[in-house]
Structure formats: structure tokens, C-alpha cells
Amino acid sequence: MPGPDNGSLTPVSWPLLPALAVLGMSAFASFSASRSAWLADSLAILLAYTLAQAGLCLSQKILWFKHASQRWAILALSVVLALLAGLKAEAVFWPAMSTGHASWLLPAIILVFIFATVLPAAIDQEIRHRTQASLAAEASKHKVERQMLEARLAALQGQIEPHFLFNTLANTRALIHQDANQAEQMLNHLIAYLRAAMPDMRLSTTTLGQELDRAAAYLQIFQIRLGARFQYSVQAADEVRACLIPPLAIMSLVENAIKHGIEPQPGEVRIDIHARCEGGTLHVAVRDNGRGFQNELGSGVGLLNVQERLLALFGEKAELRLSPLQTGGVNAELILPATTRGQT
């Protein structure tokens, strides 16, 4: 059971031992040959405490007392009954022919004793009720926000999947007119790629290793089209490959590099993908030696989608950086928290 620190309610104990003590003292006073004033006063105070504590338990344990005003009303009623019962008990068991004390003294003692014992417990329970209600409201708010985020991510995924598939199939169609055998080979690679990739496309996150494998398979497909003039490399340590990343995020960077940098650039071209972790942050860089920055770079669906998904999943903790390389081309870098499935 959660402790008090997280706002959970601690059960209020029924006054069983005080009730047994009241019964024992009552029996003793009833059958004793002589009665004493201290026994009558003690019995009156203990009986009043027992009834007040029982009223507190009733106010907290009966489920249809939803509001604080109802619980305080029950407690106030139990305190009044406890006071009357205490006074009655003293009157019954007060020794005959003994001078009584001031009429206000016993009620004052009973009320002070109840306020010192029962009232703090009642206040503590009300504080816990309010804390628990606040936590429940906060949890409900986070649940709604999470549902909205999942709906937003699903919409973003719905944008990128047709975009990715259209570009891949367009490359395959273009190759059909150049080399039917290579087109068939590319189609086989594409089918194998999609069979592995599709199950994870609807998830909010996947492992970096799976993303790098898909990117390598896509670059293999593209290498069939460009031939020997296109080269690529994919580098990441095993522990880095276990980190989580939005699906198709790397593919969007690769597609952007091919469309805006590699395809328009004559001669030998290449793409290098490198991933590393530094201080709890994952860095994934996609570098190309293509045409470099142009006016339209970064305005496509793919990069905008990546930026939106990073913002939705990680907020300001993640970003997409685009920077020119001195040797020509562009360095596109994903920066996000390094987390694994065991940490989510």
C-alpha cells in the first residue's frame, strides 16, 4: 500500500481496545462494593473518546460520504453524543454521598481530550482526501493529454507512410525502364523491407537498430538505381542501437538527402549515417556530399514531420539540426534523450 507521502489514505482504526476498556471499567464499577470519583471520571472520558473515534471511523469508511461537509457533520454529531454519553456515565457511576466537581470541568476535559486526539486525525484524513482528489484529477488530465498526443502521432504517421512508400515505388518504376532485371531485384528488396518495416510503422517509437537496418536496406535499393557512383555507410555501437527513436525518422533524413543532395549531384556521391550517445543524449547524423543547401531544403513533408514528432514525443528535449559541411553537402542531426525500452 502506498505510504502517506503520495497522498493515499491511511485506514482509521476502530477503537476496539478503548471499547473493551470501557466495558471492563463499567463491569468493575457495577459490581464493586465501593465506587470512586476517579473511576467515574476516567470511565466518562474514555467512553467519550471511544464514541468520538467511532464517529471518525464511520465518517471515513462509509463510501457515500463523498464530501468533506458530510464527514465533518458526522464527526460533529459523534462528538456531541460522546460528550452527552460521558456526562451520563459519570452521573451513573459517581459515588453516592460524594461532592461533585464544577459542572463545566468534565465537559471541558472531555472536549480537550477529544480535540487533542480525534481532531488531528480527522484533519489529517481530510488533507489526504484533498491530496488524493488532486492526484486523481492530475492523472485524468495527463491521460487526456496522452490520448491527444497519441492521436496527433497517429495523424503524423499517416502523413509520412504514404510519402515514404510513394518515393520508394517511384524509384522502382523509374528503374523498370532502364533495367528490368534490376527492377525485379529492387522490387524483391522492397517487399522484404516492407515486410520487416510495416509492423513498427504504427508505433510511436522503435529501436535505433531497427531504424538503421531499414535505412541500410533502403540505401541498398537506391544503390541499384545509381550504381557504383553511390556509396553509403552505417555506424553505431550495439548499446547505441538499443536506444528508442521515432519510426521512419532516419528514413526521412535519408530521403531528404537523396532528393535534394544526391540525385541532383553528378559524379561520386555518398551518404554516411553515424549514431552515438553523449551524456544521456542520442545523436544520429545523416551526412551527404551532395548539392548542399538549396532554397527548398527542409521544406518537404518528411523533415517537417520529423520535427513535429520530436516535439510531440520529447518537447524541447529533442531537436533536428541542419548544417552545411565544409566539403559540400549537408549534415542532418537528430538530437533526443537516450532511452531504452526498460527505461520507458
Side-chain angles (χ1 to χ4, degrees):
M1 178 180 294
D5 290 342
N6 62 5
S8 61
L9 292 175
T10 302
V12 182
S13 300
W14 290 98
L16 298 179
L17 290 179
L20 291 176
V22 168
L23 292 177
M25 293 173 67
S26 301
F28 177 78
S30 298
F31 295 103
S32 176
S34 60
R35 296 179 178 179
S36 61
W38 71 266
L39 180 62
D41 286 339
S42 299
L43 179 58
I45 295 172
L46 192 57
L47 175 61
Y49 166 76
T50 302
L51 293 176
Q53 181 69 15
L56 174 62
C57 291
L58 285 174
S59 67
Q60 298 297 323
K61 293 181 180 295
I62 296 179
L63 297 180
W64 42 269
F65 291 150
K66 299 292 185 181
H67 301 290
S69 58
Q70 295 175 318
R71 294 188 290 269
W72 282 114
I74 294 299
L75 181 59
L77 179 61
S78 67
V79 170
V80 173
L81 294 177
L83 179 60
L84 296 176
L87 294 176
K88 182 65 176 178
E90 186 194 48
V92 171
F93 293 104
W94 189 262
M97 307 300 293
S98 297
T99 303
H101 44 60
S103 58
W104 57 267
L105 184 59
L106 182 62
I109 293 176
I110 290 176
L111 290 177
V112 168
F113 188 79
I114 291 176
F115 289 160
T117 56
V118 178
L119 185 60
I123 294 175
D124 181 69
Q125 287 297 309
E126 289 306 320
I127 292 174
R128 293 176 187 275
H129 272 293
R130 292 196 176 189
T131 303
Q132 191 178 56
S134 177
L135 291 175
E138 192 70 18
S140 177
K141 176 183 176 182
H142 286 310
K143 182 179 179 181
V144 172
E145 290 177 348
R146 182 63 185 177
Q147 291 173 342
M148 293 176 62
L149 173 60
E150 290 174 352
R152 182 181 178 188
L153 288 174
L156 292 172
Q157 287 290 88
Q159 292 176 8
I160 196 170
E161 290 166 21
H163 176 73
F164 161 70
L165 293 177
F166 173 80
N167 285 355
T168 307
L169 292 173
N171 288 337
T172 305
R173 184 183 63 180
L175 186 61
I176 290 176
H177 302 288
Q178 302 173 14
D179 190 326
N181 292 330
Q182 283 192 335
E184 182 180 0
Q185 184 180 358
M186 178 182 283
L187 189 58
N188 290 334
H189 284 304
L190 178 60
I191 293 173
Y193 169 82
L194 292 176
R195 183 177 292 114
M198 290 301 289
D200 287 340
M201 284 185 175
R202 290 292 180 181
L203 301 178
S204 60
T205 57
T206 186
T207 65
L208 175 63
Q210 291 171 313
E211 276 295 286
L212 293 179
D213 290 341
R214 293 174 192 137
Y218 179 79
L219 291 172
Q220 276 184 335
I221 294 173
F222 194 78
Q223 194 173 45
I224 295 176
R225 179 178 175 183
L226 292 187
R229 83 179 187 94
F230 173 66
Q231 300 296 324
Y232 71 91
S233 68
V234 179
Q235 299 178 6
D238 290 341
E239 60 272 15
V240 179
R241 293 172 65 90
C243 293
L244 297 179
I245 193 170
L248 301 180
I250 296 177
M251 280 304 311
S252 297
L253 302 185
V254 170
E255 283 189 315
N256 190 76
I258 289 175
K259 179 179 179 180
H260 298 286
I262 297 300
E263 284 188 318
Q265 181 75 1
E268 294 185 356
V269 287
R270 68 176 295 115
I271 290 179
D272 296 294
I273 304 175
H274 180 262
R276 71 186 192 282
C277 283
E278 291 182 359
T281 302
L282 175 64
H283 298 257
V284 183
V286 178
R287 303 184 183 96
D288 69 83
N289 67 340
R291 190 172 55 163
F293 273 113
Q294 302 295 323
N295 292 334
E296 74 275 14
L297 181 63
S299 62
V301 173
L303 293 186
L304 292 176
N305 189 285
V306 171
Q307 291 173 330
E308 284 289 325
R309 287 192 292 159
L310 288 177
L311 180 62
L313 287 171
F314 304 104
E316 297 181 355
K317 296 181 180 179
E319 61 177 315
L320 170 62
R321 294 178 182 174
L322 299 176
S323 57
L325 296 173
Q326 293 181 352
T327 57
V330 174
N331 178 61
E333 186 174 11
L334 289 173
I335 302 174
L336 61 155
T339 57
T340 60
R341 294 201 187 278
Q343 298 173 321
T344 56

